[in-house]
Amino acid sequence: MSRKRLVLLAALALTSAALIPAAALGGTRAAARHTVTLKNIRFHPGNLTINRGDSVTWAWHDGETEHNVTFHGFHSRTQSNGSFTVRFTRAGSFSYHCTIHVSEGMKGKIVVR
C-alpha cells in the first residue's frame, strides 16, 4: 500500500472517530443543571438526586421573605431574590436548610451519585 494511501486512511479513521459521541463509547456525559425553588417557606423539590458533576441552582421566589441555603461547606447570603449555584463534584448525601426557617421545616437534601 502506498504511503499516500496510508496517510489518507489514517486521516479518514481519525475523522470518523471524532464523529462518534463520547457517551456511545462509555465516555463522560454532559453535566446537567437542576433548579430548587424557594417558595412558601419550602424548597421545591425538597429532595433531589443528581449525578456527580451536575449543578444545582437555588432560586428565590418567595416575595420579600428572606432565606438562605446552608450546608457543609456552602452558605448563600441571606436574600429575598436572586439565586445561588453549587456544582457537586463528589458523590454523597448533602442535607441543607434555611437558618432563618429551619424550625418551620425548611430543609432539603441533594443525593449525588
Side-chain angles (χ1 to χ4, degrees), residues 3-17:
R3 179 172 172 79
K4 189 175 183 180
R5 192 171 207 179
L6 283 173
V7 170
L8 181 61
L9 286 174
L12 182 60
L14 288 173
T15 303
S16 298

Side-chain angles (χ1 to χ4, degrees), residues 35-63:
T35 301
V36 174
T37 303
L38 291 79
K39 189 169 182 154
N40 299 324
I41 310 184
R42 292 282 181 264
F43 294 109
H44 304 277
N47 296 312
L48 184 61
T49 300
I50 65 173
N51 292 308
R52 197 165 30 115
D54 289 358
S55 296
V56 175
T57 297
W58 285 266
W60 277 249
H61 293 285
D62 208 1

Side-chain angles (χ1 to χ4, degrees), residues 1 4-5 10-11 23-24 27-28 35 45 47 52-55 61 63 72 86 88-89 92 94 98 103 111:
M1 190 176 297
K4 189 175 183 180
R5 192 171 207 179
T28 60
T35 301
N47 296 312
R52 197 165 30 115
D54 289 358
S55 296
H61 293 285
H72 181 71
V86 174
F88 290 84
T89 58
F94 302 88
C98 170
S103 63
V111 176

